[in-house]
Structure formats: C-alpha cells, structure tokens
Amino acid sequence: MNSVIPPGSTIGIMGGGQLGRMLSMAAAQLGYRCHILAPEATSPGAEVSADCTVAEYSDAKALAAFADACDVVTYEFENVPVAPLAAIASKVPLRPSPRALEIAQSRIDEKRFVTDLGGRAAPYGFAETADDVETAMAVAGTPAIIKSNRMGYDGKGQARVMPGDDAVARWHEAGGVPAIIEGFVQFDAEFSVILARGTDGDIRFWDSAQNAHVAGILDVSTVPANAAIQAQVPAARALAAKVAEALDYIGVLTLEFFATAEGPVFNEMAPRVHNSGHWTIEGAFTSQFENHIRAICGLPLGETALACHSAQMRNLIGEDAHGWPELLADPANHLHLYGKHRAAPGRKMGHVTRISLTPPGGQA
Ligand code: AMP
C-alpha cells in the first residue's frame, strides 16, 4: 500500500518526550497537525502539538478514540505495550509496524533477530532466573554486562560483573528480572546507523555518528566519525538495510554498533528516531525527524547527505541545561531545550549542536 497521507492530515504520536516534540515540530513545517498520546498531563511533545490525549498506553478504549482522531499513528517511545496497539492498527496505518516494536522491546529477541540476519553480537546468554546466571556467565565470559531484557534504556537495569564479583548478586542489582548477560566488548569506538525507509522501499542513510557515552547515557555524537568507524559503516549499513527489509519497515530505524578490530559488533536497535541523530536538524539536508514524517505519510524521502563539513551534538543532562546563557553567548551554538520543568540527574533536558562549514583551518 503506497497511499499518501497529505499535508493537513493529523499524525498521532504515542509518547510525549523530546523525540515526540521534535517530530511534531518537523511535521508542522510540512503542514501536518500532531496529536500526542501520553500518560503525563503535560509533556514536551504535547506542548508543541495541536492535540493531546492523556491516557495510559494500555487503555484500549482511549487508543481507539485516539486512532479515530488521526490519519496515521507512529510512536517515539519503544516501551509502548504491543497488544493494545491492535485497537489502533485496525483503524489507521501504524508505522513502523508493531512487529518492529515487539522485537526491539526484548533485548534477547532483538539480538536473535539481528544475528539471524548475519549480524555479529557480543557473546550472550539469558538468565530468566537466578539459577540461569552461572550458565549465561559461562557463555558471556568475564567481565560481563547484565541488562534487563525489557524496559532498560540509558544504562538503566544494567550491572557489570567484574572478575571476582558474585554474578548472582549483580543479577539482583540489575533488577532480579529476566536479563541478557553479555560479554564485555573491547571496542575502539561506538557508532550508530540511522536510516529512513519509505513506503516504496526507498532506503536512505545519514552519515554515521561516532557516539561517546558517559554513565550509559549518550554524551556527544560527532560526524564525520573517525576513519576506523567509516571503514565499518558499509557492513553495518548492509545489516541495517536487511533488518529494515525483513520488517518491511516504514520510518526511521537506528542500529547501534561497537567498532572493534574484528569489524562492527551489533549492540541494540531502536525502531524510531534516535538521540545520536539530533545533529541532522542542522547538519544534514533533511533531518531524521522530517524524514520519519515523510516516510510514515508515504511522501518521497528527502536527501540525507551532510549539509556541512562536520557536526557535533552534545546532550544537556540534568543541570547542564542551566548553562543556557553561556551556550547562547556563543553564536555558533544551536540550542535545543525540551521544555522539561525539572532537571533531575540523568534526565535529558536539551542538546546543543555545532556545525562547521569548513575543514579545520581550511576554506569552504
Ligand atoms: P545499552 O543500554 O546497551 O545501549 O548500553 C549503554 C552503553 O553501555 C553502550 O553504549 C556502551 O557504551 C556500554 N555497553 C553496553 N554493552 C556493552 C558491552 N557488551 N561491552 C562494552 N560496553 C558496553
């Protein structure tokens, strides 16, 4: 089906965080109205959208009414329960498909899906209960990282097992819930592949950003990535395209990788726009947000090439956002604040992007 959802239509977005906010802003530029569904009474997404439904993601009745008010529905948050989404998918297109969401919600399913398509992941085992920890550790080796199978993000629900540690105690620290236990990857750098796939199957990639994390949270994304990463991007893109095609994916899809001496090692995927793609707002011809909107509405995708020589995006976490006066004092900074009222530690409050039109010391 390749029907176009024209400008003027209403796009439903499940989730009201900063990703929903930036999607809504990109949609508005193309003449769409957005309708956010989120459990919070106020949200960064709802503040910039035409409509908002305050409801739990599992409230099938509210979801059906929400779908009635929308022409297409997408999500910006991958922990939306899948079963109730049937109330939406029976009425309007839900893009990307709930299948992508289902896989990305479970670390074990995601690893199996991607490795079945030829991707390489860190050695991993699965500990459903404390009794499985030893067997899983034997596969993962030490050091290892325990990651809760579901609902983990930004380093939450994770614990490291170092030599001499009691792995079962660490499993309890990671929540004492079903978890993947994976070997520690010796990586040179981290990078992401972000692509958009349209309803006609057209796939476009943005330049891969080199990503640096602090305490499990993305700190800085830089393009172009270093040469070691760039050498691994073609293999990583080929895998990401296979994933997108296998899912008949529509929208923006992200895969995260470690660049190792043996080539790219797949870490995780996100069926949505991604923090490591925020630089595309100023640094690429078309941003990840605009192309997600174009894709889900059946429009042709925009050019994804770099529109600058280099770009760097830095997250503003917690109190960092209070530094906005200094950030704005530098006219080269593109400041994005998400309108969150409370700056809690570890909370993503905004980001700042710098683009350069010339090589260091060079001429345009
Ligand atoms: P994740 O929640 O899986 O994205 O993990 C957050 C961050 O923890 C990653 O971006 C890495 O910096 C680090 N990390 C996760 N898994 C591993 C691993 N198997 N080996 C080494 N570092 C890891």
Side-chain angles (χ1 to χ4, degrees):
M1 187 185 58
N2 195 9
S3 58
V4 169
I5 293 152
S9 306
T10 299
I11 299 171
I13 303 175
M14 300 192 69
Q18 63 270 16
L19 302 180
R21 181 180 179 95
M22 289 183 272
L23 282 170
S24 186
M25 289 159 75
Q29 184 186 323
L30 286 170
Y32 291 94
R33 307 173 70 254
C34 284
H35 185 148
I36 299 279
L37 183 136
E40 302 83 21
T42 58
S43 64
E47 274 184 7
V48 301
S49 295
D51 284 306
C52 171
T53 294
V54 179
E56 294 300 326
Y57 299 120
S58 54
D59 180 345
K61 214 170 138 204
L63 296 192
F66 168 66
D68 282 337
C70 299
D71 299 294
V72 58
V73 171
T74 189
Y75 44 86
E76 59 98 69
F77 171 67
E78 72 246 42
N79 288 321
V80 170
V82 173
L85 291 176
I88 293 178
S90 62
K91 291 175 181 273
V92 287
L94 176 63
R95 295 170 173 163
S97 72
R99 175 84 185 117
L101 195 61
E102 198 171 21
I103 292 171
Q105 283 177 356
S106 155
R107 288 189 186 268
I108 187 91
D109 290 348
E110 173 179 283
K111 289 249 200 279
R112 284 184 184 138
F113 189 79
V114 174
T115 52
D116 282 352
L117 289 170
R120 209 157 62 81
Y124 65 90
F126 191 61
E128 181 94 37
T129 69
D131 293 344
D132 307 321
V133 170
E134 200 181 321
T135 317
M137 280 299 297
V139 182
T142 311
I145 305 195
I146 304 179
K147 300 178 179 178
S148 65
N149 190 44
R150 291 183 180 278
M151 305 296 278
Y153 62 95
D154 287 347
K156 295 188 177 75
Q158 297 191 9
R160 295 191 173 192
V161 190
M162 302 310 284
D165 281 354
D166 175 349
V168 173
R170 294 282 172 276
W171 179 80
H172 282 291
E173 269 170 37
V177 290
I180 199 163
I181 304 187
E182 62 182 49
F184 207 82
V185 177
Q186 294 300 326
F187 58 81
D188 301 322
E190 293 184 74
F191 68 102
S192 43
V193 169
I194 309 183
L195 64 77
R197 185 170 183 271
T199 49
D200 57 357
D202 180 27
I203 292 183
R204 284 168 191 252
F205 297 95
W206 282 271
D207 279 56
S208 275
Q210 178 167 344
N211 302 323
H213 293 79
V214 173
I217 305 179
L218 183 65
D219 180 29
V220 172
S221 287
T222 308
V223 285
N226 69 24
I229 289 175
Q230 291 198 38
Q232 304 196 4
V233 164
R237 283 187 175 180
L239 179 65
K242 271 193 199 169
V243 171
E245 268 150 17
L247 292 168
D248 196 13
Y249 195 90
I250 298 172
V252 169
L253 171 72
T254 307
L255 270 72
E256 291 183 80
F257 293 91
F258 302 117
T260 75
E262 290 79 42
V265 171
F266 167 73
N267 180 28
E268 63 178 354
M269 67 184 237
R272 53 170 169 78
V273 288
H274 196 258
N275 195 169
S276 64
H278 290 359
W279 65 270
T280 62
I281 297 175
E282 293 89 8
F285 276 87
T286 311
S287 76
Q288 59 168 351
F289 301 101
E290 178 174 340
N291 260 351
H292 185 74
I293 298 299
R294 287 181 180 229
I296 63 169
C297 292
L299 304 180
L301 299 178
E303 171 63 57
T304 48
L306 269 184
C308 58
H309 176 267
S310 59
Q312 190 181 67
M313 186 285 317
R314 187 162 62 82
N315 268 336
L316 302 174
I317 307 289
E319 309 248 312
D320 292 350
H322 295 157
W324 63 264
E326 294 82 61
L327 291 168
L328 285 179
D330 182 338
N333 280 336
H334 292 278
L335 179 66
H336 298 252
L337 293 174
Y338 306 146
K340 296 183 184 177
H341 303 302
R342 204 174 42 83
R347 193 162 194 223
K348 292 176 179 170
M349 303 296 294
H351 71 265
V352 60
T353 302
R354 294 180 69 90
I355 60 168
S356 171
L357 297 176
T358 53
Q363 294 185 340

